[in-house]
Amino acid sequence: MIRLRRNRRSLAACLLAATLSAVVSPVWADCGRAPTDPAAVTAQSLLDALVGLNGVPGMGAAVWRDGELAWTGCAGWRDLQAQQPVRADTVFRFASVSKAIAATAAAKLAEQGKLDLDAPLQARLPWLPAAWAPMTLRQVAAHVAGLPHYQAGDQGIGRDGRRYASQREAVGVFAGRALLSAPGSRYHYSSYGYTLVGAAVEDAAGEPFLDYLGRAIVPGLSIDAEQGGRGERESQLYELEGGAAHRVERPRNHSYSWGGGGLAGTPESLARFGGRLMSGQILEPASFAALQQPLRFDDGRPVRERDYRLGLGWRLGTDLDGARIVHHAGITEGARAALVLWPQRAIAASVASNAEWVSSIESTTMMLAAPFQPLPAGLPTAACPLAQRRYRGRLGEQALGGAIRFRLERGRCVGELEADAVLRAHFAKASAWTRPRLQAIALDAGGGLARAALVTPFGLYDLRAQGDGRYLAQLSGDKLLELRL
């Protein structure tokens, strides 16, 4: 086994060469074929540019639209040391996106009358601690049951060589811990809660959790436990430190919570799962609608976190144009992933990477799907500012400015701007940043710059012309970026 930490300088150089190579020579052939559809070409350009900037060895993505897979994207390396590129069949960890799949499994059993989501969970699982008696499975799935998340002393969980034979057995990891609050009263994100979801699914289905998923929820899809055994299809796992990628030597196994963060698969399979869910192939339409019902605490307050509300295991929100989205994201060692659904448009988009990195993963997923979406209403026209050499603007309340240069690439307007001190400070927490630059890549190849993806080390953001020489993008941390060209 290669030990990466002993020669970080050479690895940093290797990573830089790899990421630059991913931009110059896209690995489209390994995704099946070079895209010809204009939307697919645009999405692939964005993915290549992102991997060329964020230091992540490899990423995959996919978009499902109108009943079929519209695009599969591959960029970078599934094995950095062996220089093996990401392919369409490369398997990535899904991390907490697994929760959305587990919640869908619970909803399927409820649809069949085998599982009551609103009955006291202890009625089904009488072996649960007495203090947990009031909680329901719906509360557990929405993180309002009071169950704890990882705590001090949990660093060794999944690294001790133990593999839990069932999710009931895995509940023993945290069964002796006190609830953080009364069920239904407060929000506490808990991956352990999804161990309990898995135990309820096993009991209601009468078979192991993974077996039930494979038979009833994801049949025919490349989605299973992250347990290895897939040979070269399985991506290596990396951590980013000091601007370089280091292979994870002892990956954690998630048998203590398959539904909480232990599933893996291809980006294609994840997008297809979302498509099947929206098209009624997994759940009846009424059951899928029930997943999307915003939940409330016992006192009537809406359950929410950040800018979204909570449904049954799914996060509920809207995109920048007000279209309703259903989504989930995940992060764990060697992985960052997301799945976003637009139920009213029958569009699903997935993203997966083989490193944990500081990112706006939901925004990135939505921008990769943007070329496949309807054009926003009222978007002004704007020419590519080829003569522009400087930019100025603001990030929140701070003024910024610097050099910028635009060019046309196969009819597409592409800009590269030097990050000034303000932008460098904003992105200072980036896990890696191969160059102190940002890119603006137009979403169409018509030679204009009405709408673009802003490529940053945190991910992709929506950059839109305002019709007066200004461009706006909402960045992470709720900071509004204004550029004047």
Side-chain angles (χ1 to χ4, degrees):
M1 182 174 290
I2 301 173
R3 297 192 176 274
L4 302 181
R5 297 181 183 272
R6 296 180 180 176
N7 191 357
R8 294 187 178 181
R9 289 186 180 179
S10 62
L11 281 171
C14 179
L15 173 63
L16 180 59
T19 52
L20 290 178
S21 174
V23 176
V24 174
S25 302
V27 291
W28 289 336
D30 292 295
C31 272
R33 58 183 176 83
T36 56
D37 175 73
V41 172
T42 299
Q44 183 65 53
S45 298
L46 302 184
L47 189 64
D48 286 332
L50 179 58
V51 171
L53 193 66
N54 66 3
V56 174
M59 295 184 69
V63 172
W64 183 96
R65 180 181 63 178
D66 296 332
E68 62 183 13
L69 202 67
W71 168 68
T72 298
C74 307
W77 309 100
R78 70 179 187 274
D79 188 326
L80 179 59
Q81 289 68 41
Q83 297 284 279
Q84 295 296 319
V86 173
R87 306 182 313 198
D89 66 351
T90 296
V91 172
F92 296 88
R93 288 187 170 194
F94 290 163
S96 286
V97 179
S98 306
K99 293 179 172 69
I101 300 174
T104 302
K108 180 70 173 179
L109 290 164
E111 175 184 281
Q112 297 171 338
K114 297 179 179 179
L115 188 59
D116 188 339
L117 303 177
D118 296 304
L121 190 51
Q122 198 177 58
R124 170 163 291 280
L125 306 177
W127 44 266
L128 292 179
W132 296 9
M135 71 177 61
T136 68
L137 195 61
R138 191 181 302 276
Q139 291 172 332
V140 173
H143 305 286
V144 299
L147 291 168
H149 192 45
Y150 302 128
Q151 297 178 334
D154 285 348
Q155 293 86 348
I157 186 72
R159 299 188 194 278
D160 55 7
R162 181 174 181 180
R163 185 178 179 85
Y164 294 90
S166 69
Q167 293 302 277
R168 172 178 177 172
E169 180 184 340
V171 171
V173 171
F174 59 97
R177 302 182 185 185
L179 296 183
L180 302 179
S181 59
S185 64
R186 294 184 61 187
Y187 178 87
H188 300 285
Y189 186 84
S190 174
S191 286
Y192 287 139
Y194 273 78
T195 308
L196 195 50
V197 172
V201 167
E202 286 183 339
D203 186 83
E207 60 185 310
F209 177 74
L210 294 175
D211 290 351
Y212 178 71
L213 286 188
R215 178 179 64 80
I217 308 301
V218 294
L221 298 180
S222 180
I223 296 177
D224 202 345
E226 45 162 48
Q227 55 194 355
R230 299 181 180 91
E232 67 172 17
R233 292 182 55 219
E234 196 150 30
S235 175
Q236 296 297 317
L237 307 179
Y238 296 92
E239 58 182 351
L240 300 178
E241 185 178 337
H246 309 283
R247 184 177 292 172
V248 176
E249 298 288 355
R250 291 180 57 212
R252 187 190 305 271
N253 91 74
H254 284 80
S255 65
Y256 66 89
S257 187
W258 290 130
L263 301 181
T266 65
E268 275 191 2
S269 68
L270 193 55
R272 288 184 187 277
F273 163 75
R276 288 182 181 183
L277 187 58
M278 290 186 293
S279 60
Q281 298 179 57
I282 301 175
L283 297 175
E284 296 293 336
S287 297
F288 180 48
L291 284 178
Q292 304 169 61
Q293 288 300 308
L295 300 183
R296 294 183 177 273
F297 293 108
D298 288 349
D299 62 6
R301 291 175 296 122
V303 181
R304 74 171 58 247
E305 184 183 12
R306 292 188 293 168
D307 60 345
Y308 52 78
R309 294 189 62 177
L310 274 294
L312 184 65
W314 288 83
R315 297 165 178 174
L316 315 173
T318 58
D319 64 14
L320 288 179
D321 298 301
R324 188 164 55 84
I325 57 173
V326 183
H327 60 102
H328 212 297
I331 182 170
T332 190
E333 60 179 6
R336 200 77 170 89
L339 174 63
V340 180
L341 313 181
W342 286 262
Q344 294 168 314
R345 296 178 177 173
I347 294 176
S350 65
V351 171
S353 63
N354 57 10
E356 177 183 342
W357 53 296
V358 176
S359 62
S360 296
I361 196 71
E362 295 94 341
S363 174
T364 296
T365 310
M366 287 188 276
M367 286 310 299
L368 288 171
F372 303 90
Q373 302 270 16
L375 285 175
L379 191 66
T381 59
C384 186
L386 295 172
Q388 195 74 28
R389 294 294 179 265
R390 303 285 299 177
Y391 71 90
R392 58 189 177 90
R394 304 189 71 82
L395 179 58
E397 300 300 319
Q398 296 179 288
L400 51 79
I404 194 167
R405 186 178 296 272
F406 286 89
R407 63 187 183 276
L408 290 176
E409 291 185 358
R410 293 176 294 178
R412 188 182 311 280
C413 184
V414 177
E416 185 166 299
L417 61 88
E418 295 181 3
D420 72 345
V422 173
L423 289 171
R424 289 198 301 271
H426 179 77
F427 294 110
K429 293 183 179 179
S431 302
W433 194 358
T434 58
R435 297 171 294 164
R437 302 282 192 274
L438 305 179
Q439 282 189 300
I441 301 178
L443 293 190
D444 67 78
L449 192 66
R451 187 184 183 197
L454 184 68
V455 187
T456 81
F458 285 176
L460 305 176
Y461 298 98
D462 201 331
L463 184 68
R464 299 190 184 190
Q466 302 302 300
D468 56 2
R470 293 184 307 131
Y471 288 81
L472 298 180
Q474 192 72 49
L475 300 191
S476 54
D478 296 327
K479 285 191 175 181
L480 185 67
L481 172 68
E482 176 187 295
L483 295 178
R484 290 185 177 271
L485 303 178

